[in-house]
């Protein structure tokens, strides 16, 4: 039997049931009328967007979901609509996938495996389903599964045992480096194992710290990849099954590693800024690599005309920094302005003179400078309705080499999960066609320029070493003992671990940013502030 | 058979396995030698403290737990030690209670019911146990249960079916208003239901946003309360069972509602500051009720000699505010200083003149003032190693009536979960013996004093109304429709709900504070920042 299914890789808005519902109906009508599809499949929790978090505890949300399901059923005939939504039954909430056909929900599946690790909290909201669901689409028995279900054998095997000849998997699978390959390898293995083709539909778009990267795909019963939608953009891909076998279609390429990360950052920034209704973005451009990279991402995400930068030199800022910052702003054609922080910095030093009598100069004065910059930037953000983008990288956030309410101020932190060494690789990527980021910015030794002749390497191990230790300690949760045994200097490892542990309080007040690694700060890593663990 | 058990209501430090272990051994030796106890029972997850959060994912933590168990077993003979710890078995982690007797663990129970709602994430870490555990203590068969287990019937019934004549319940039950009564009523009902006495041991002390309030207690088989340890302090209470029946002992009183909340705030502040190693606290005293209450709490928590306040008047600050602030500081004998913010405020206005050319004065200029104060306070905090206490209340935090990096700056926010009307009741409580908080501070209309003649009531509904709406919307998750149907003005309700929804981004960057209500901000309420729900 011939079966055509449209895979709707959409960018949805969490909580916007009415808007998501309109997108669903438009896509369904397109699938029916333009693609000649028998059915259309959407990502996990289509109606609410993913993850809806504690909105799931609000009765209004569930009421609106019911209304939207009624409306979709009433409005769209002639194509089977397979979509995700929360479903309350006997006082329990399920993460459901339903099939709407000609005015009614003809079948419903409840997700069996609920992820409750990393960024996921599904057991906070949902109960596990226990039954497979197989439904005939144009005569082909199709088994429904949702995201995590496909990562383990049972749900797929149960659907196969219940007669499915093809599996659909509705997903909201967020990006991290290497994840797309991991997904495909796993689903190919699963399809070989059960001997059935699998169509995997992913969400696309940014939601707070997560970016869903799309790349929906289809594998045949022998695990062969037959079709793949593009990454990082919406797509509505028609897949055709002939006699139960997927016809080979277009296979969009994987972006290479650095390009995939860059595109993720751009999409994450764009969606955060636009979905939250900002008029554009402002950021402080220091002449250093982190703000240079952040500017490049912001310009790609929002358009140069929607980005404004401010240079805020102090007595410690080198001419080189000012020159390089202006050069990049002009290359990109973004609005730029210089506001020296000396008047405010001096005012604070005067105001605090009595309070600080008899004390030594220390990091306090460095923080005051960073915070003067924070005030300037937040004032522009407040006055103009532009979001302030924070420019700190993951290495700094890890060890606390950043000032709360100073350079940490802002609404979104694009490269918060980008380790310093990766920031260099991303900067080279930005310059692949022309020199967006001035060469000197990439090549000079990193400095916060908050004290005379200051360099990051005065207080931190070289980033080559630091990033390796951080990756082991944070992303792979190795113990200091394991890291030392892997050949790193014992004192350095212990010092770095101590810095990470002690700076949890700063990270707790940091703006959100895009997760790109296996373990980001934020919902992904939940450490106590008060802790005697060291 | 006679059985004497010591209930060890301890204040532990999360992650400090060695320190907690020492406390356990000291308490066990005291129970054996001074109390003549046969056994001692500790709170849930005694060795790690509660909640250890993602420290549970670190292999080092689990290794240290094993070492500590070995050490306790080796060091303390002659008394049965019943304590909590994470236990890894067959690659699964359990929330365990073990019985150590004369050198070995003779029995182990795995928690069956794992809370994964509100502030709890236990399914992120643990698997559910399935077996009851009954162990003879001085000849009496005793069933072990852990916290959530006792809130439902099954685990207690299983222990009873397995022959238990008495149940022990190891807890880490955090405070919220009314919780102590709720706990006792429930456990009394449970003991009646299964016809067995229950000894309930709670943790005490602050851990980030949670305060465990102690109040351990014992009920007889008919549900009668026979003994209760004090609230908000450590205690080691001996309970005696004769022929399976608890002998009536001392029953520490419930504090009344406002006193219970006040004591919770004081304990939460004290433990956060001390456990995190600060040398004291600093805060901005405005002449308003929130900072006045925060100061009273801080002085009770840390001692007046460890608290410093700063008055930071602007052109909009009334003389009354300055006078009242100084009066309270002098009444309490805390160090105080006045630093006018005009020089820095003026410097920023000048620096931004060009950038802001042609724009109207708006909330931006108010925020600059608040942020100048933030810089002053953080500078003092940095220079002196004193934690900055943030003075905002829950009503403000809810509707976003606060400035990020301004009055929201700080390491800990004592009254973050205290609605404004409750702040008045707490202030009256502070004045129960003498006038700590000047009368005029309590009686004048609330104002942020960031613009001429500004009053909170210019932008917000009266707090009597606002707090009711907020409690329904946030704590009870009522829909706007339900709140309007309860008799509140429709436009006001919708406006308040909108303000709450829109200000999630501010709360995400707020410092932690003590949870005292059914639903606090923080781990307790996980809302998306990007959301189309309204």
């Amino acid at each position: 039997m011939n079966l055509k299914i449209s895979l709707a890789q959409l960018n949805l808005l969490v909580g916007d049931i009415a808007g998501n519902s309109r997108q669903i109906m438009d896509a369904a009508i397109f699938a029916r009328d333009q693609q000649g599809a028998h059915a259309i499949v959407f990502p996990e929790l289509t109606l609410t967007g993913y993850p809806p978090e504690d909105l799931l505890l609000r009765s209004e949300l569930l009421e609106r979901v019911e209304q939207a399901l009624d409306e979709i059923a009433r409005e769209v005939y002639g194509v089977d609509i397979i979509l995700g939504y929360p479903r309350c039954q006997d006082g329990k909430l399920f993460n459901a996938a339903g099939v709407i056909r000609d005015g009614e929900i003809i079948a419903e599946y409840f997700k069996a495996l609920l992820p409750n690790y990393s960024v996921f909290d599904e057991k906070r909201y949902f109960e596990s389903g226990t039954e497979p669901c197989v439904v005939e689409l144009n005569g082909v028995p199709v088994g429904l599964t949702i995201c995590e279900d496909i990562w383990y054998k049972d749900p797929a095997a149960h659907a196969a045992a219940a007669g499915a000849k093809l599996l659909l998997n509705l997903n909201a699978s967020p990006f991290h480096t290497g994840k797309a390959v991991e997904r495909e390898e796993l689903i190919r293995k699963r399809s070989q194992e059960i001997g059935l083709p699998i169509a995997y539909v992913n969400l696309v778009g940014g939601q707070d710290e997560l970016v869903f990267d799309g790349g929906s795909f289809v594998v045949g019963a022998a695990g062969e990849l037959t079709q793949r939608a593009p990454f990082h953009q919406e797509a509505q891909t028609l897949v055709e099954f002939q006699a139960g076998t997927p016809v080979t279609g277009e296979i969009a390429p994987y972006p290479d590693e650095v390009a995939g990360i860059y595109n993720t950052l751009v999409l994450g920034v764009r969606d955060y800024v636009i979905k939250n209704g900002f008029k554009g973005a402002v950021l402080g451009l220091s002449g250093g690599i982190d703000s240079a990279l952040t500017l490049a991402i912001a310009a790609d995400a929002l358009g140069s005309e929607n980005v404004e930068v401010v240079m805020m030199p102090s007595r410690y800022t080198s001419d080189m920094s000012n020159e390089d910052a202006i050069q990049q702003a002009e290359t990109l054609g973004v609005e730029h302005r210089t506001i020296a922080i000396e008047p405010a910095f001096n005012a604070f030093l005067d105001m605090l003179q009595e309070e600080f009598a008899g004390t030594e100069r220390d990091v306090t004065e460095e923080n005051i400078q960073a915070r003067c910059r924070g005030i300037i930037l937040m004032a522009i953000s407040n006055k103009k309705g532009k979001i302030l983008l924070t420019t700190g990288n993951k290495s700094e956030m890890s060890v606390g080499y950043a000032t709360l309410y100073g350079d940490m101020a802002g609404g979104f932190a694009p490269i918060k999960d980008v380790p310093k060494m990766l920031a260099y690789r991303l900067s080279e990527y930005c310059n692949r066609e022309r020199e967006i980021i001035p060469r000197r910015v990439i090549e000079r030794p990193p400095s916060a320029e908050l004290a005379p002749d200051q360099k990051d390497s005065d207080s931190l191990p070289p980033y080559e070493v630091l990033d390796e230790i951080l990756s082991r300690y944070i992303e792979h949760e190795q113990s200091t003992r394991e890291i030392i045994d892997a050949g790193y200097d014992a004192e350095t490892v212990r010092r770095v671990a101590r810095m990470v542990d002690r700076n949890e309080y700063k990270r707790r007040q940091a703006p959100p940013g895009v997760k790109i690694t296996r373990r980001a700060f934020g919902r992904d890593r939940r450490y106590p502030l008060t802790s005697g663990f060291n």
Side-chain angles (χ1 to χ4, degrees), chain A residues 88-197:
Chain A
C88 197
Q89 196 170 82
D90 302 330
K92 294 176 176 175
L93 194 66
F94 296 94
N95 181 337
V99 183
I100 299 178
R101 176 181 296 164
D102 297 337
E104 56 181 336
I105 296 177
I106 59 160
E108 216 165 44
Y109 171 74
F110 296 157
K111 189 176 186 177
L113 302 181
L114 302 172
N116 206 68
Y117 52 81
S118 174
V119 300
F120 303 107
D121 277 317
E122 292 200 17
K123 291 182 182 171
R124 183 173 170 89
Y125 311 106
F126 298 118
E127 303 286 328
S128 290
T130 53
E131 301 302 320
C133 173
V134 177
V135 60
E136 288 208 353
L137 302 182
N138 199 38
V140 180
V142 172
L144 304 185
T145 59
I146 302 176
C147 209
E148 190 83 354
D149 286 336
I150 208 79
W151 290 73
Y152 296 86
K153 193 176 175 185
D154 279 357
H158 291 166
K165 297 297 173 204
L166 157 65
L167 297 187
L168 299 181
N169 187 234
L170 288 72
N171 288 273
S173 178
F175 175 89
H176 65 69
T177 311
K179 180 87 165 283
V181 175
E182 210 179 310
R183 272 180 213 137
E184 281 193 16
E185 280 176 1
L186 185 114
I187 275 80
R188 290 171 57 187
K189 179 177 141 233
R190 188 73 59 231
S191 72
Q192 288 172 330
E193 203 174 67
I194 53 166
L196 296 181

Side-chain angles (χ1 to χ4, degrees), chain A residues 67-325:
Chain A
Q67 288 160 9
L69 286 170
D70 285 350
E71 191 190 355
I72 295 167
R74 212 167 47 232
E75 296 291 328
V76 188
Y77 277 61
V79 60
D80 293 343
I81 299 171
I82 298 133
L83 80 173
Y85 47 88
R87 162 70 82 199
C88 197
Q89 196 170 82
D90 302 330
K92 294 176 176 175
L93 194 66
F94 296 94
N95 181 337
V99 183
I100 299 178
R101 176 181 296 164
D102 297 337
E104 56 181 336
I105 296 177
I106 59 160
E108 216 165 44
Y109 171 74
F110 296 157
K111 189 176 186 177
L113 302 181
L114 302 172
N116 206 68
Y117 52 81
S118 174
V119 300
F120 303 107
D121 277 317
E122 292 200 17
K123 291 182 182 171
R124 183 173 170 89
Y125 311 106
F126 298 118
E127 303 286 328
S128 290
T130 53
E131 301 302 320
C133 173
V134 177
V135 60
E136 288 208 353
L137 302 182
N138 199 38
V140 180
V142 172
L144 304 185
T145 59
I146 302 176
C147 209
E148 190 83 354
D149 286 336
I150 208 79
W151 290 73
Y152 296 86
K153 193 176 175 185
D154 279 357
H158 291 166
K165 297 297 173 204
L166 157 65
L167 297 187
L168 299 181
N169 187 234
L170 288 72
N171 288 273
S173 178
F175 175 89
H176 65 69
T177 311
K179 180 87 165 283
V181 175
E182 210 179 310
R183 272 180 213 137
E184 281 193 16
E185 280 176 1
L186 185 114
I187 275 80
R188 290 171 57 187
K189 179 177 141 233
R190 188 73 59 231
S191 72
Q192 288 172 330
E193 203 174 67
I194 53 166
L196 296 181
I198 301 176
Y200 180 104
V201 188
N202 198 12
L203 184 65
V204 73
Q207 170 61 27
D208 292 348
E209 305 213 301
L210 303 181
V211 168
F212 301 91
D213 56 340
S216 302
F217 61 91
V218 183
V219 294
E224 74 282 15
L225 183 73
T226 60
Q227 206 164 345
R228 188 195 292 133
F231 291 87
H232 299 104
Q233 55 182 275
E234 287 195 308
Q236 193 166 340
T237 302
L238 190 71
V239 49
E240 187 171 352
F241 294 89
Q242 288 178 351
T245 300
V247 176
T248 300
E250 201 171 339
I251 297 187
Y254 281 133
D256 74 27
E257 187 186 335
V258 173
I261 294 169
Y262 189 80
N263 294 340
T264 298
L265 297 171
V266 168
L267 181 54
V269 171
R270 182 186 299 137
D271 276 4
Y272 193 85
V273 173
I274 290 173
K275 290 180 178 180
N276 284 293
F278 287 98
K279 293 175 189 156
V282 58
L283 61 102
L285 199 63
S286 70
I289 193 165
D290 297 320
S291 60
L293 175 58
T294 305
L295 170 57
I297 293 165
D300 273 338
L302 308 172
S304 293
E305 66 284 11
N306 295 311
V307 181
E308 168 177 354
V309 298
V310 190
M311 276 80 74
M312 293 168 291
S314 76
R315 62 191 73 170
Y316 307 118
T317 306
S318 66
D319 292 341
M320 181 164 55
S321 296
N322 290 323
E323 291 158 18
D324 292 348

